[in-house]
Amino acid sequence: MPAFSRTQVWLILLAITATTYWIGEAGLSGHGSMVPVLALFGLAFAKGLLVCLDFLELRHAPALWRWLVVGWLAMVVALIVLAYWISLR
């Protein structure tokens, strides 16, 4: 993942937040389809990844710490998506 300045990361986070808001307000989610939900959680994962790497200073941390935090984030997002998918059945 390329390194961005903090201002660029902040602007990316704002864009992701606006996109997430748009998906929610457009009514694309909540109709039983997994595609908007997966898009929302993908965006949430991207936001979490940017926050971890750039605002928690993990971009230059030892790989073990970076992968532990990113792995934890991926696991949480995957479990929430799994719970949502099970609730649809």
Side-chain angles (χ1 to χ4, degrees):
M1 182 171 226
F4 298 108
S5 72
R6 291 222 167 101
T7 303
Q8 289 172 321
V9 171
W10 179 70
L11 290 172
I12 292 169
L13 291 173
L14 285 178
I16 291 173
T17 300
T19 303
T20 304
Y21 178 79
W22 176 77
I23 290 172
E25 287 297 313
L28 298 176
S29 61
H31 297 291
S33 174
M34 284 297 290
V35 174
V37 173
L38 290 176
L40 289 173
F41 280 105
L43 291 169
F45 179 78
K47 283 176 69 176
L49 186 63
L50 286 171
V51 169
C52 289
L53 293 179
D54 292 309
F55 292 103
L56 296 180
E57 303 288 340
L58 287 177
R59 185 175 298 278
H60 304 293
L64 174 65
W65 291 110
R66 190 172 47 247
W67 285 111
L68 278 174
V69 173
V70 172
W72 166 81
L73 179 63
M75 184 181 71
V76 168
V77 170
L79 289 175
I80 293 172
V81 170
L82 177 65
Y84 181 78
W85 180 71
I86 289 172
S87 74
L88 292 178
R89 302 180 92 206

